[in-house]
Amino acid sequence: MWLDFVDEDDERVAGYYQKSIEARVDAFRSLYEQKVSADEEFPVLYNILVPEVFCPSAVRVGQILDGGKWTCRPWAMPKNCAVYSLGIDNDTTFERDFQKISGQRCRIYAYDMKRPMFPEVLEGLEKLDIHFREAKIGLRDSKVENTVSLENEMKRHHHGQIEVLKMDIEGAEFQVLPPLVERIRICQILIELHGLPPKVVGLLMKLGDGGYRLFSHELTGAGLSAEYSFVHEDCLQRYNARKIGYYLDRISEKYRQ
C-alpha cells in the first residue's frame, strides 16, 4: 500500500517538474550567454537548479563540514568496484566512511598533491583498501609536473569503468572532467565545482549531454564553489533512483560548448 502512494506521488512530482523545464532551460541560456548581470548570476543559478532524479537513499558520506559528499545508496555498490577520489587535502573522512558504509566492497584510489600528508591521515588506509598516491590529476602523465592522467591510472589498475568519481581539484575539473565523461563509464560523480556561473553552466550541460543526472547540490559557503552529485541514467535502477525531469541536456545545440 505504501509503495502505491510513493508511485502516485512520483508521477505528480514528475508532472509538476515538467511544467518548469522550459523556464529552467531559458534561464540556463541567459546565464550561458552572460545576459544576466554579474550580481544576479549566482542567485539565478542556485534558484534554477533542482534534482533531475530522486534518490531516496542519498546520504552525506564523510564529515559534515567541507569534504563530505552526498552519495546515492552507497551500500548498493557492486563487489570489487573502483572508486577514484581526486583531491583529499589531508582529509580522508569521505574515503573511510565510504568504506565502512559500503561494507568495503570497493577499492578506493585517492590522489592529492598536498604536502606534507599527515601521518595520522594516511595511517590505516591500506586496511580499508584505500590506495593513496601523491600526485596531481592532469590531462597527461608528467614526471616533471608530478601529474597523472586518470585514464592512464585506470589502465595501470586494469579498470574499464568507475563506480564513483569524487572530485575536489580546485578548478582543474573544467579541463579534466569533460574528456572523462566522453570516454569513461562512471556511475556517480560527486564534485565540488569552482568558478563563475557561466563556466559552471557550460560544464553542467556537458554532464547532462553525457547522461549524468543531478540528484543533489548544496552551497559550501566558501567563495565561488558548490557541491554537485550526479548519477548516470544507466545506473538509476542499481541505486533505486527515480527520474523526475531532465533539463541539463535540453539546451539548444548552439548554446553548448
Side-chain angles (χ1 to χ4, degrees):
M1 180 65 70
W2 180 79
L3 288 177
D4 291 339
F5 284 114
V6 171
D7 291 341
E8 181 179 340
D9 284 348
D10 283 350
E11 292 179 3
R12 288 181 176 178
V13 170
Y16 189 79
Y17 266 51
Q18 291 295 329
K19 295 179 181 179
S20 67
I21 284 180
E22 292 307 318
R24 296 185 195 281
V25 169
D26 289 341
F28 266 100
R29 287 175 178 169
S30 296
L31 277 175
Y32 189 58
E33 293 184 317
Q34 300 184 44
K35 292 181 177 179
V36 178
S37 63
D39 60 340
E40 289 294 324
E41 284 182 343
F42 280 106
V44 170
L45 174 62
Y46 296 137
N47 279 326
I48 61 179
L49 280 171
V50 292
E52 297 182 289
V53 298
F54 171 56
C55 176
S57 301
V59 292
R60 200 173 196 274
V61 180
Q63 67 171 339
I64 61 172
L65 302 176
D66 186 36
K69 304 289 181 186
W70 282 98
T71 310
C72 187
R73 207 183 183 200
W75 44 85
M77 297 288 149
K79 291 184 178 180
N80 302 315
C81 65
V83 174
Y84 280 81
S85 178
L86 314 183
I88 59 175
D89 193 20
N90 268 314
D91 174 17
T92 57
T93 55
F94 169 83
E95 291 75 19
R96 293 172 186 270
D97 286 0
F98 183 93
Q99 289 298 68
K100 292 176 182 177
I101 198 172
S102 66
Q104 208 163 316
R105 291 170 173 261
C106 307
R107 183 87 194 270
I108 298 180
Y109 300 83
Y111 301 80
D112 206 297
M113 276 289 289
K114 186 75 173 181
R115 297 181 182 180
M117 291 298 294
F118 302 146
E120 60 270 25
V121 171
L122 297 177
E123 184 180 354
L125 292 186
E126 286 300 322
K127 292 181 180 179
L128 289 171
D129 214 5
I130 301 171
H131 167 80
F132 173 75
R133 178 172 179 178
E134 187 179 283
K136 181 180 179 181
I137 297 296
L139 295 177
R140 65 185 186 279
D141 289 359
S142 171
K143 291 183 179 180
V144 175
E145 300 175 354
N146 195 19
T147 60
V148 294
S149 156
L150 183 57
E151 290 182 83
N152 287 339
E153 284 294 286
M154 290 178 64
K155 291 176 182 176
R156 293 183 188 105
H157 297 297
H158 309 290
H159 294 145
Q161 63 184 41
I162 297 175
E163 195 65 27
V164 176
L165 175 62
K166 172 231 175 188
M167 298 183 73
D168 185 357
I169 52 178
E170 307 304 324
E173 61 270 16
F174 293 101
Q175 290 75 45
V176 172
L177 190 55
L180 291 179
V181 297
E182 291 178 0
R183 298 193 288 265
I184 298 173
R185 183 182 182 276
I186 308 168
C187 264
Q188 293 191 48
I189 296 177
L190 320 175
I191 183 171
E192 181 174 309
L193 292 182
H194 312 75
L196 294 173
K199 194 172 184 179
V200 170
V201 167
L203 184 55
L204 292 179
M205 289 192 293
K206 285 183 181 295
L207 289 169
D209 290 343
Y212 291 93
R213 307 306 175 194
L214 183 70
F215 70 86
S216 175
H217 76 281
E218 67 178 18
L219 304 183
T220 65
L224 310 179
S225 64
E227 298 281 356
Y228 299 83
S229 296
F230 302 86
V231 59
H232 196 276
E233 56 189 11
D234 291 343
C235 305
L236 294 179
Q237 185 173 3
R238 174 182 301 171
Y239 294 109
N240 197 27
R242 306 185 186 102
K243 173 183 174 181
I244 299 176
Y246 305 156
Y247 60 91
L248 291 178
D249 61 347
R250 293 281 300 276
I251 312 298
S252 169
E253 184 66 33
K254 75 174 184 177
Y255 296 106
R256 296 175 182 162
Q257 288 184 336

